[in-house]
Amino acid sequence: MKVLSAVAWPYANGPRHLGHVAGFAVPSDVFSRYMRMAGHDVLMVSGSDEHGTPILVLADKEGTTAHDLVDRNHAIIAGELTDLGCSYDLYTRTTTVNHTAVAQELFERCWENGYMVEQTQKGAISPSTGRTLPDRYIEGTCPICGYEDARGDQCDNCGNQLEPEDLISPRSKIDGETPQFVETQHFFLDLPALADSLRAWLEEREASGTWRPNVIKFSLNILEDIRPRAMTRDIDWGIPVPLEGWRDNPSKRLYVWFDAVVGYLSASVEWARRIGEPERWREWWVDGAVPDAQESYYFMGKDNITFHSQIWPAELLAYAGRGTKGGEPGDFGVLNLPTEVVSSEYLTMEGKQFSTSRGYVIYIRDVLEKYGPDAIRYYICAAGPESQDANFTWADFVQRNNSELVAGWGNLVNRTASMIAKSFGEIPAPGTLEPVDEAIRERTLAAFDEVGSLLARQRIKAAVAAAMRAVGEVNKYVTDTEPFRLKGEDQRERLATVLHTLVQCVSDLNTMLAPVLPHSSNVVHGVIGGEGAFMPMPELREVTGLDAGDEGRTYPVITGEYSSTPAWESRPVRVGAPVAKPTPVFTKLDESVVSEELAEVEGA
């Protein structure tokens, strides 16, 4: 099966914090790694979202240019995601000529099919700068439910779409000013003309029973108040509108959210071009391009559901001419709609929302350098905001690291290897298995189906819990069989059998935990006598632009070679493989970490 793993594009306004990666980065990577292990052909794509007014505002504040700002931040974000172990086939950016061409192709065909209509709207302008304010930079009271912190594009409390001028007592998030509203011409995506097709698709997805209930419910609810949505903006930083009379207008650009979601397609096109097979992206995007089944999964936080369950599918339908106005698909053909929109809820910290501006934040770079990637990946998977809001606390982080990773899984690995190293120096051949040995082997093998089924359905928290239950049962096997008491020469065959059974279980558990803990899975693989790397890791690579206009431009991308990904199955350990006394796989954290980290945040 062809599986498109479409990962939300982080905005290039600075480094990522823990709340960001809990919503898009870690869940998508765990899923993608598992699907490769299960034998599917995965294409995992994303990139840095680099257009829009917020970039200009921040560049002005820092006294730099938008180009320089996004160049710097793209490199930072790409480095963070690489070190976190996110196995992208391509992580790119939206300021490439390739992306511009793909976004303009989609816009122009949507317009030719009649789904981009020119209308006058009231645009919000900053009185002090004269610059257009993006919808999300305007807050006020929702006119429908009275929520005081509604945004200019939607109310997170009641879920209704809004326009900035709808808000009661609107204010700019930038400086608190009351925006001025002036009339301006823009192109609107005619969502009402696509509503029937959107509803038919969403009802089909609801019937599948695979979507998270909160996501499908929200997606169907916003259809009740569907209206045309502006797809252009008054701004000079972004992709030009590809129509006569608009193309050369220096103050009109495509809406950042129009071009950002197009990035899933443009990144796929760029990936195919970079591997020298420029049409291969169609295998994941165009129905009938290959005999294999095609599925696509979009990963993001819940504040972006609207753009992935309404705006992006509407763009795809309009491009294919599949609304009430008809039309013909463009050069890309009829593109597949999402199989599933996988949205996570919000992660808070110590009961409060993350806030970069207030310094109440945990930057992912700091966590990586202090605690390593797998400790934070494990926490996100075991306790993150998968289907409901979750609260990160340093006390819980330390407790889970010490009791689950160190005392549970890490201890099992270490004592298995230590006993083998001390008694044999290599993996011994087993003798006759007793019922207790057969039972633990059957239980561990059964966990493959249980854990794999959960990962395939993005139930990562339940999958981790199932894998750790199996870890606990193998630890109990050690307690029950007491290999450390089998010291006599006449007990040596029994000792070999127990330790062989034990290391085989550890090997299988390492396979099951590898999508969550890819870095430590490589360490564990070596500890128990494995050769080479177990899980392939992503690579940060400097590349040059592909098109005229990008000549000589270099920038980092994340890519990788993942064909050596191990299969999701038990593989026999190698009898005779040398096993040395190990060092701990995971690091136990001192309780002082809690007070130190809290003091650092509170003192920011």
Side-chain angles (χ1 to χ4, degrees):
M1 182 167 66
K2 300 289 184 179
V3 176
L4 175 68
S5 183
V7 188
W9 289 56
Y11 199 55
N13 59 344
R16 297 299 87 186
H17 62 60
L18 187 59
H20 292 140
V21 300
F24 75 92
V26 173
S28 61
D29 186 60
V30 172
F31 174 76
S32 299
R33 286 182 178 276
Y34 166 73
M35 294 302 275
R36 292 190 188 107
M37 296 177 79
H40 302 300
D41 195 354
V42 175
L43 179 61
M44 181 178 175
V45 293
S46 185
S48 298
D49 177 9
E50 300 175 321
H51 292 132
T53 301
I55 294 294
L56 289 176
V57 172
L58 186 58
D60 285 349
K61 183 178 180 180
E62 295 188 6
T64 187
T65 66
H67 275 290
D68 288 345
L69 178 71
V70 298
D71 281 349
R72 183 188 74 210
N73 287 335
H74 167 71
I76 290 171
I77 296 169
E80 293 168 344
L81 295 176
T82 302
D83 291 345
L84 191 58
C86 298
S87 55
Y88 294 101
D89 290 279
L90 183 66
Y91 179 92
T92 180
R93 58 196 307 188
T94 58
T95 52
T96 66
V97 172
N98 174 79
H99 175 71
T100 294
V102 174
Q104 289 182 331
E105 160 67 14
L106 258 73
F107 185 94
E108 192 163 7
R109 177 59 63 167
C110 290
W111 174 77
E112 290 172 351
N113 283 340
Y115 299 101
M116 286 292 177
V117 293
E118 193 171 354
Q119 293 182 6
T120 299
Q121 75 163 168
K122 287 185 177 180
I125 304 295
S126 165
S128 60
T129 67
R131 178 173 287 155
T132 300
L133 293 170
D135 296 348
R136 290 196 164 198
Y137 268 48
I138 303 170
E139 291 181 335
T141 300
C142 176
I144 299 171
C145 71
Y147 180 60
E148 293 183 355
D149 293 318
R151 299 195 310 265
D153 58 351
Q154 74 179 43
C155 175
D156 286 338
N157 186 55
C158 66
N160 283 289
Q161 294 182 56
L162 301 172
E163 296 294 338
E165 64 268 25
D166 296 336
L167 295 172
I168 300 169
S169 302
R171 60 189 180 276
S172 167
K173 287 181 63 176
I174 299 171
D175 52 20
E177 288 183 319
T178 299
Q180 295 177 349
F181 292 97
V182 298
E183 288 192 347
T184 181
Q185 291 292 109
H186 283 296
F187 279 100
F188 286 66
L189 181 60
D190 192 355
L191 289 170
L194 300 157
D196 290 345
S197 296
L198 281 170
R199 183 175 295 279
W201 165 68
L202 284 170
E203 289 177 347
E204 175 192 65
R205 302 320 306 150
E206 181 183 33
S208 74
T210 59
W211 283 36
R212 293 174 181 172
N214 58 315
V215 181
I216 192 65
K217 180 180 178 181
F218 180 89
S219 302
L220 285 166
N221 283 345
I222 59 178
L223 278 176
E224 302 303 321
D225 186 37
I226 200 165
R227 65 182 76 174
R229 190 88 178 240
M231 291 291 116
T232 56
R233 286 292 186 267
D234 293 305
I235 185 176
D236 57 5
W237 173 246
I239 295 176
V241 181
L243 300 177
E244 190 67 31
W246 287 69
R247 186 185 298 272
D248 299 323
N249 189 328
S251 63
K252 298 285 187 182
R253 293 291 187 269
L254 298 186
Y255 179 31
V256 64
W257 264 108
F258 179 90
D259 89 82
V261 291
V262 173
Y264 302 118
L265 176 60
S266 69
S268 302
V269 172
E270 182 182 345
W271 167 81
R273 295 177 67 191
R274 289 197 177 280
I275 66 168
E277 301 178 53
E279 296 300 311
R280 194 169 169 212
W281 63 270
R282 296 180 182 274
E283 295 178 12
W284 286 266
W285 282 92
V286 181
D287 186 31
V290 289
D292 305 348
Q294 299 163 314
E295 294 186 354
S296 54
Y297 298 83
Y298 290 74
F299 293 84
M300 83 242 27
K302 69 177 178 181
D303 55 334
N304 292 335
I305 294 175
T306 298
F307 297 97
H308 293 83
S309 67
Q310 184 179 95
I311 303 302
W312 178 229
E315 291 177 28
L316 295 172
L317 289 165
Y319 181 79
R322 295 168 63 188
T324 58
K325 297 180 178 179
E328 296 294 327
D331 292 341
F332 293 139
V334 177
L335 302 168
N336 293 329
L337 297 177
T339 302
E340 185 164 351
V341 172
V342 187
S343 169
S344 297
E345 300 292 297
Y346 290 140
L347 183 70
T348 57
M349 177 177 62
E350 305 290 346
K352 300 179 182 178
Q353 287 187 344
F354 284 96
S355 174
T356 304
S357 61
R358 296 195 305 270
Y360 199 79
V361 67
I362 303 172
Y363 286 111
I364 194 63
R365 173 54 61 197
D366 293 340
V367 177
L368 290 171
E369 292 176 352
K370 290 179 181 179
Y371 310 113
D374 279 4
I376 196 60
R377 285 177 66 107
Y378 180 80
Y379 184 91
I380 289 170
C381 292
E386 182 176 291
S387 56
Q388 61 185 17
D389 291 349
N391 183 41
F392 173 91
T393 69
W394 282 109
D396 190 34
F397 174 71
V398 170
Q399 190 274 331
R400 285 182 178 274
N401 179 84
N402 291 350
S403 66
E404 298 172 24
L405 279 183
V406 176
W409 173 228
N411 182 52
L412 176 61
V413 173
N414 287 341
R415 64 176 171 167
T416 298
S418 294
M419 288 188 288
I420 292 174
K422 180 179 179 180
S423 299
F424 296 96
E426 62 183 31
I427 294 178
T432 302
L433 269 62
E434 296 184 358
V436 67
D437 310 320
E438 293 174 342
I440 194 63
R441 288 295 300 123
E442 289 173 3
R443 172 65 187 93
T444 306
L445 288 171
F448 274 104
D449 286 342
E450 180 184 9
V451 175
S453 174
L454 290 165
L455 290 177
R457 292 179 287 127
Q458 309 92 43
R459 306 314 193 251
I460 297 172
K461 187 178 293 188
V464 170
M468 294 305 286
R469 282 195 300 273
V471 168
E473 290 172 8
V474 177
N475 269 316
K476 184 176 183 300
Y477 170 78
V478 179
T479 302
D480 293 342
T481 56
E482 298 184 311
F484 41 83
R485 295 185 182 275
L486 301 174
K487 298 179 179 179
E489 192 62 33
D490 60 335
Q491 296 174 309
R492 195 155 179 81
E493 180 179 328
R494 178 62 188 151
L495 176 62
T497 302
V498 171
L499 292 183
H500 182 94
T501 300
L502 183 56
V503 74
Q504 183 64 62
C505 291
V506 168
S507 175
D508 291 347
L509 291 169
N510 191 47
T511 299
M512 280 179 258
L513 286 166
V516 175
L517 306 171
H519 303 84
S520 58
S521 74
N522 286 327
V523 177
V524 173
H525 180 67
V527 165
I528 59 175
E531 297 179 337
F534 186 64
M535 286 295 277
M537 301 305 291
E539 172 192 350
L540 191 65
R541 183 182 302 171
E542 198 78 11
V543 299
T544 57
L546 295 171
D547 302 280
D550 270 347
E551 307 102 323
R553 182 190 185 197
T554 63
Y555 54 91
V557 300
I558 306 173
T559 187
E561 171 50 60
Y562 308 113
S563 60
S564 63
T565 296
W568 186 258
E569 63 187 13
S570 175
R571 53 189 54 75
V573 294
R574 184 166 56 91
V575 172
V579 176
K581 183 178 180 180
T583 56
V585 177
F586 302 102
T587 302
K588 184 176 181 179
L589 301 177
D590 192 272
E591 294 296 329
S592 63
V593 164
V594 178
S595 57
E596 290 168 1
E597 292 289 357
L598 287 175
E600 186 171 323
V601 171
E602 291 167 0

